[in-house]
Every structure is written in structure tokens, then in C-alpha cells.
Amino acid sequence: MSIKITSDSTSDLSPALLEQYDITVLPLYVTMGEQTCRDGVDARPEDLFAYVERTGSLPTAAVNVADYHDCFAQFSPRHEAVIHITISSDFSSCYQNACVAAEGFSNVYVVDSRNLSTGHGLVVLEAALAAPRGEQPEA
């Protein structure tokens, strides 16, 4: 079974792991002052840390429904299943947004990691290790 694993940028997996396991990352949005960037694309972790230190506010926003839909539309036809793993729904609306976007796809499964950062990344990595074993996405 061909399974594609995707995740939000909050999984904090290294570029080497993302490449090794062919994991696609959707960046959260980061608003710093008047500028909106994408986590890990236009804004580096050190930029985010400096902003938080300077202002005391955490400037992230969830991946939007349109971004999720575009990702699922890209991978759904090419794979038997797409499994997207989000940051915990306790911390962000990423899970809810991904679920809304997934409604139009019969082979997209959204998983709430119930974690953030390294914990989220470990859930993503475990899914990437399980995918080649042919485990069913519903399991």
C-alpha cells in the first residue's frame, strides 16, 4: 500500500529525516509585527525566538483549510492513503482545519498527535516507519 505521510511544521523533524522518509511538511504561519511568514520557510526558529523574547508574544497561526486542501489534492490521487499528523488540538486549530479539508477526500486520514514539537515529531516518525510495513491507515 502506498501511504504518504504529511505533518505540520511543529513536528520539528530535521531536514535529513524529512528527506529520508519522504515526509511533506505544511508550515504554520508566523506573524511578526506587520510581516506574515511561513514557519521554516520564510521564518527561521531563531527569528521566532528573538521575536518572542523581544515582544513576549507567540506569533503563530494554524495552517489554513486551503493549504491543507491543496496538499491533500496533490497527494491523494498519487497514493492509496495520505496520513496527516497535526500538532495537538489543545494548542492549535490545525487539527480542525485539516479535518475540514480532508472531508473531500476518501483516502485522507487526519491524526491529532496530542503533542507538540519533539513529541509530535516522534508520532510523525513512527507513522513514516509503519507506512512501508503496509499497516492500514485506519489502525
Side-chain angles (χ1 to χ4, degrees):
M1 172 176 254
S2 170
I3 299 175
K4 176 66 178 168
I5 305 297
T6 63
S7 175
D8 303 332
S9 59
T10 56
S11 63
D12 294 330
L13 291 171
S14 71
L17 286 173
L18 296 173
E19 183 178 342
Q20 179 179 353
Y21 294 105
D22 189 31
I23 300 167
T24 297
V25 171
L26 283 85
L28 271 74
Y29 288 90
V30 177
T31 302
M32 295 182 283
E34 298 295 316
Q35 185 178 18
T36 299
C37 306
R38 293 165 295 158
D39 180 35
V41 177
D42 310 312
R44 301 169 313 190
E46 53 269 22
D47 299 329
L48 185 60
F49 298 145
Y51 182 84
V52 171
E53 186 174 312
R54 188 173 67 252
T55 66
S57 69
L58 188 60
T60 60
V63 178
N64 62 50
V65 174
D67 288 352
Y68 282 123
H69 183 273
D70 290 347
C71 175
F72 299 156
Q74 176 185 357
F75 293 115
S76 175
R78 298 178 7 209
H79 298 277
E80 294 172 71
V82 176
I83 299 174
H84 181 77
I85 303 166
T86 69
I87 183 174
S88 175
S89 59
D90 293 333
F91 303 114
S92 172
S93 61
C94 284
Y95 175 75
Q96 292 84 355
N97 291 353
C99 286
V100 169
E103 288 176 0
F105 303 91
S106 62
N107 65 336
V108 174
Y109 303 87
V110 180
V111 176
D112 183 344
S113 74
R114 307 297 297 154
N115 284 280
L116 63 128
S117 192
T118 303
H120 176 188
L122 291 173
V123 175
V124 173
L125 196 53
E126 182 58 34
L129 293 168
R133 296 192 299 252
E135 294 185 24
Q136 296 299 309
E138 300 91 353

